[in-house]
Amino acid sequence: MIETSEGPRRPLMTYALIAACCLVFAVGPASGLNPGYGTGGDLLRAQTGYFERWGVVPSALWSGAPAEPLTPLTALFVHGNWLHLLGNMLFLYVFGAMAEERMGRLQFTLFYLATGYLALLGYAAAHADSTQTLVGASGAISGVLGAFLWLFPRARVTSLFPFLFFLPLRFPAWVVLIFWFALQWLAAHGADDRPGVAYLAHLVGFSLGFLYAWVRFGRTTRVNRAARPSEGESQP
């Protein structure tokens, strides 16, 4: 919860997006909670079909099929496994609340959906012949991180670093987020065509989020106050 001069303001849309992603995951085959999808081979086939239906398949996206342009939107609410879901939702919870406060609920929601859509579209354009399915909210959440960097550059966040035995250390947001962006950049340049994390979608989303906040809000709305949230080690 965020405290303002008008009293506490709850980031309702951030919570709603988290709830929607969790609900979609729980009822889908990837969670393993829905017995209707069966077990073993039946469950694996159900997962594959589910991801192909609701996720982005770059080669299919440009095929001209009427429903395909909707998949970059539906894919934002689909996650591949529990770790994928929890990592993304942690980042959305940590950084989404303050971004929503600054933008307002409606603008934040439209920003989130548009940035996520364009991030997945950018990845699909760069891998137009790929048949690998792309799912997850990481493109949209990367956009939130980019906007956060512009709006709250000196807000302090707590990060856990594995190579420092997971000691909680507090850094300005600009240090944490630029370090995160550099990791995505290096990973994207070292990635191959095998299934894995869509680092390019992260880079596109982050860049779009930063540019949007820069153009839309300018210098007058940058905030330097300390931030409450803490950041986990998992990446969106």
Side-chain angles (χ1 to χ4, degrees):
M1 186 168 63
I2 297 170
E3 297 288 344
T4 70
S5 59
E6 300 174 354
R9 179 186 301 174
R10 294 184 181 276
L12 295 182
M13 294 313 304
T14 298
Y15 293 162
L17 289 168
I18 292 173
C21 288
C22 291
L23 178 61
V24 169
F25 181 77
V27 301
S31 69
L33 300 177
N34 190 339
Y37 290 106
T39 59
D42 290 337
L43 179 59
L44 291 177
R45 285 188 290 272
Q47 291 175 355
T48 300
Y50 186 84
F51 294 148
E52 290 178 349
R53 178 179 181 183
W54 301 110
V56 177
V57 180
S59 60
L61 182 62
W62 311 113
S63 66
E68 288 300 323
L70 293 177
T71 57
L73 183 62
T74 59
L76 296 178
F77 298 91
V78 179
H79 290 82
N81 53 53
W82 282 97
L83 183 61
H84 188 202
L85 173 74
L86 295 177
N88 275 347
M89 295 305 100
L90 173 62
F91 268 74
L92 179 55
Y93 174 77
V94 166
F95 294 99
M98 292 178 67
E100 180 182 340
E101 177 194 28
R102 179 59 51 185
M103 295 182 184
R105 290 170 182 166
L106 178 60
Q107 184 177 173
F108 173 79
T109 304
L110 295 176
F111 162 81
Y112 178 92
L113 296 175
T115 304
Y117 187 99
L118 292 174
L120 296 182
L121 196 67
Y123 180 92
H127 301 81
D129 297 328
S130 175
T131 58
Q132 299 296 333
T133 306
L134 184 65
V135 297
S138 56
I141 296 169
S142 297
V144 173
L145 299 185
F148 194 99
L149 176 59
W150 176 260
L151 295 172
F152 306 97
R154 297 184 184 178
R156 302 188 70 84
V157 296
T158 302
S159 298
L160 302 178
F161 293 92
F163 53 84
L164 293 177
F165 304 102
F166 295 96
L167 291 176
L169 302 175
R170 289 181 66 79
F171 294 98
W174 70 268
V175 173
V176 175
L177 294 176
I178 289 178
F179 178 71
W180 178 88
F181 183 85
L183 290 179
Q184 306 307 303
W185 179 272
L186 293 173
H189 282 72
D192 51 31
D193 293 331
R194 293 177 300 176
V197 180
Y199 295 106
L200 179 60
H202 299 177
L203 296 174
V204 173
F206 188 95
S207 300
L208 289 174
F210 183 85
L211 289 173
Y212 175 81
W214 175 43
V215 172
R216 172 64 179 83
F217 296 98
R219 289 184 175 275
T220 57
T221 58
R222 302 184 83 182
V223 178
N224 296 325
R225 61 184 171 83
R228 179 190 64 85
S230 59
E231 175 193 351
E233 174 262 338
S234 301
Q235 296 178 0

